[in-house]
Amino acid sequence: MPAEKPQLSRYRDRMDKAVSALKEEFASLRTGRASANLLDQIMVEAYGATTPLNQVAAITVPEPRSISVSVWDRGVVVSVEKAIRSSGLGLNPVVEGQNLRIPIPPLTEERRRDLAKIAAKYAEQQKVAIRNVRRDANDDLKKAEKDSVINQDEQKRMETEVQKITDEAVKRVDEALKTKEQEIMQV
């Protein structure tokens, strides 16, 4: 079976996924404002298994400084409360029957700096993922040239294009990080 010509769009898609993953990670980082995404990473012990919070309750944001969690099964309320308290997000839910009201306390300066560092770490992980995609692309291009699927000029041109795609993706990661840091540091 002859080797096929490498498709740059496949590598671009993989880099886009890394940028999207970063934005999802950023959504779960706490800023001064309430967001339903804040609770995305929380897992609850329910029905003998560990389940994502959004599968046992409805999460709403009634006002900018609080989150409301409506637990569907009364028997899981204590597990949900425990999971939120032990999540490391610094949240203290107030139980009202099957509902939990979670006031979002303003962030301290130190906590803001910590969150900015975490955001930078997430961004760096995605940059590494993007560079790994670039490496895969360049390896595929070298192999395609060796197997005579593309000529040397085409390989060089495509490598330049891969570098351009990589630079764009890294730039989008940097922009997302800058935006998130401003959001975190905003008092």
Side-chain angles (χ1 to χ4, degrees), residues 68-156:
S68 177
V69 178
S70 301
V71 183
W72 296 317
D73 181 356
R74 191 179 300 265
V76 186
V77 173
V78 174
S79 297
V80 170
E81 180 192 11
K82 196 167 114 184
I84 293 170
R85 281 190 197 281
S86 62
S87 67
L89 292 171
L91 302 175
N92 292 311
V94 178
V95 180
E96 299 164 345
Q98 279 181 244
N99 295 321
L100 285 86
R101 193 172 38 78
I102 307 169
I104 304 296
L107 295 171
T108 64
E109 186 65 29
E110 183 183 344
R111 182 69 178 141
R112 287 177 195 279
R113 279 199 206 93
D114 291 346
L115 287 171
K117 282 181 190 161
I118 293 169
K121 191 180 83 183
Y122 286 164
E124 192 51 45
Q125 288 169 343
Q126 294 308 333
K127 283 184 191 177
V128 168
I130 289 167
R131 289 185 197 115
N132 288 341
V133 173
R134 176 186 60 193
R135 188 195 58 226
D136 293 348
N138 287 339
D139 290 350
D140 292 350
L141 289 170
K142 283 185 182 102
K143 186 178 183 321
E145 196 267 330
K146 189 174 148 253
D147 296 346
S148 302
V149 176
I150 58 175
N151 62 31
Q152 200 169 9
D153 290 343
E154 205 170 359
Q155 177 200 355
K156 294 293 179 210

Side-chain angles (χ1 to χ4, degrees), residues 14-29 37 41 116-130 169-181:
R14 286 175 56 196
M15 289 182 191
D16 288 346
K17 284 187 180 123
V19 175
S20 297
L22 176 69
K23 289 180 179 169
E24 285 176 27
E25 287 175 323
F26 280 175
S28 69
L29 272 184
N37 298 355
Q41 309 299 323
K117 282 181 190 161
I118 293 169
K121 191 180 83 183
Y122 286 164
E124 192 51 45
Q125 288 169 343
Q126 294 308 333
K127 283 184 191 177
V128 168
I130 289 167
V170 167
K171 185 176 172 213
R172 292 198 335 254
V173 165
D174 287 338
E175 287 167 358
L177 175 61
K178 189 175 170 207
T179 303
K180 189 63 180 182
E181 283 178 335

Side-chain angles (χ1 to χ4, degrees), residues 43-52 55-56 71 73 75-77 79-80:
M43 301 299 275
V44 179
E45 288 295 322
Y47 315 114
T50 305
T51 314
Q55 291 183 12
V56 296
V71 183
D73 181 356
V76 186
V77 173
S79 297
V80 170

